[in-house]
Amino acid sequence: MTNGFPQQLAGDNYAGICPEALEALNRANRGHVQSYGEDPWTHRACDLFREVFETDCEAFFVFTGTAANSLALASLCQSYHAIIAHELAHIETDECGAPQFFSNGAKILAGGGPCGKLMPQEIERLVTRRTDLHYPKPKVVSLTQSTELGTVYTPDELGAIGTVTADRNLRVQMDGARFANAVVSLGVAPKEISWRAGVDVLCLGGTKNGLPIGEVVIFFRHELAEDFEYRCKQAGQLASKMRFLAAPWVGVLESGAWLEHARHANECAATLEEKLRGIECVNIQFPREANAVFVEMPDTMVTNLHEKGWRFYTFIGTGGARLMCAWDTKEETIDAFVDDVKDWARGRAGGGG
Ligand SMILES: *Cc1c(COP(=O)(O)O)cnc(C)c1O
């Protein structure tokens, strides 16, 4: 069996397991421990989340980001409520209606905003647009950090959103599939862009940052976490061998690798952006603030790159090519990609096919 293809820039979940997570997984594989989260690895990981976020939070492990978002949102609203999100939010575009399904019908109110960001005025507009009994009542704002377009909300931007959500009595859920990339991009403590900025529940991503599998739902207010383990169990998200979801987190949190890997991915994206800039026909679309570079390029260039074996998506965001760097992205991969882009551009400039 061949093991995959040359390294790609298609997605951060094309990458494998980072050494710190794998080493912890191996250690957790020795001997017998309690099941369903009663084990030392799960307890240790939860303690580490309290250390990292510098607060008394509660953490729950689930298998996917879709489950994390959907169950977190369901715990924050009733079936007659509405969830305000950006129109490009993963919960709106990529979760097959799971947030609506798990909340028994809550409606997503999708709004616009520059570079994938929901702004306070837009939230205000969506909250006040309809206030009658015949329309779902807005109850939650869902923010993605870093965003689907590879940008980040600054602490000030989150603070301004927090003022609106406090005024309007809205809860805040954060889709942090790439939260670590935002932390290192901003150079702030994790608390500054989570609970201190008004976030009630954070869905913290691990898979895209070097874990084998698994995301964590972190509640910053105990009352909101009530019965959450029942919700997980009912949704088939309560792992019996929970230590194998928790141990990789222990590995990357204790070593600090969760931030180092995110920093590497961000830096690779910065390098990629720099090398692509200035090439004819290539247009960088959004401010590159995390580990993604969105590039507008001619369709024939996309086809040519695909023919050369490059895999990447062109349906995410606003139609450009999304190039994503991971914890293990190599400089050679970036250079090989840039060379192929340059080759195409040169061929075109020379009037050839
Ligand atoms: C990848 C991703 C998720 C999680 O997706 P799953 O495939 O369900 O694990 C959630 N939000 C965002 C923004 C993502 O990019």
Side-chain angles (χ1 to χ4, degrees), residues 279-282 297-301 304 340-353:
I279 301 177
E280 204 196 338
C281 308
V282 168
M297 52 171 91
D299 288 346
T300 46
M301 186 191 277
N304 179 259
D340 282 345
V341 169
K342 281 183 176 162
D343 272 353
W344 185 90
R346 249 197 308 274
R348 195 176 131 112

Side-chain angles (χ1 to χ4, degrees), residues 13 63-67 69 90 95 144 146 148 175 177-178 207-208 215 322:
N13 47 18
F63 291 92
T64 68
T66 299
N69 283 333
H90 200 269
E95 299 192 354
T144 310
S146 53
E148 282 77 6
D175 174 348
R178 299 188 180 90
T207 311
K208 288 179 177 139
E215 318 280 296
R322 189 196 69 168

